[in-house]
Amino acid sequence: LDARAWTQVVSTKGSAPSPRYGHSLISFGNRLVVFGGRDWRVANSFDSALHCFDLQRRRLIDLAVGGEGQGEPRGRSGHAAIPCEGGFLIFGGYASGRYFNDSFLLRVWP
């Protein structure tokens, strides 16, 4: 990517996530991971899928994830997310009239 110039990032492979807002985006080197958010076109749609984009190869990568303990987080928007231990930690958020006060850690890379 060019310094000090906007460049539209377009995927050459994979299907893009639906248009959304209220999601989080975490950077891991040349990879961006998107979690959660709402699809503005569908009422009460809160996404729990992970979407990974490799900036160097300009392609989307599917990240299959399993839960342990209490399982994976419910789809949500408006949560906080930070990089943590080779992955990221999410906290809180909102979905379908409910505010969350929970945390989930996902290790994406060792």
Side-chain angles (χ1 to χ4, degrees):
L1 299 177
D2 296 330
R4 288 175 275 161
W6 286 103
T7 302
Q8 184 173 5
V9 179
V10 179
S11 175
T12 58
K13 289 187 179 179
S15 57
S18 62
R20 65 192 53 234
Y21 65 95
H23 57 283
S24 58
L25 183 137
I26 303 289
S27 171
F28 295 97
N30 287 326
R31 294 180 177 153
L32 304 174
V33 177
V34 173
F35 171 78
R38 292 185 74 171
D39 183 337
W40 63 271
R41 303 170 300 176
V42 181
N44 290 320
S45 68
F46 295 90
D47 193 5
S48 64
L50 289 170
H51 307 278
C52 180
F53 185 74
D54 185 316
L55 287 166
Q56 190 171 19
R57 294 185 179 106
R58 295 193 180 238
R59 66 183 185 123
L60 288 150
I61 303 164
D62 290 328
L63 293 178
V65 178
E68 64 178 59
Q70 294 182 6
E72 64 184 55
R74 288 182 53 188
R76 61 190 65 205
S77 68
H79 55 281
I82 60 167
C84 183
E85 298 182 22
F88 62 96
L89 178 78
I90 65 165
F91 172 76
Y94 171 88
S96 303
R98 180 175 172 201
Y99 291 93
F100 297 107
N101 186 24
D102 54 4
S103 299
F104 291 87
L105 174 66
L106 175 67
R107 287 189 179 91
V108 181
W109 290 278

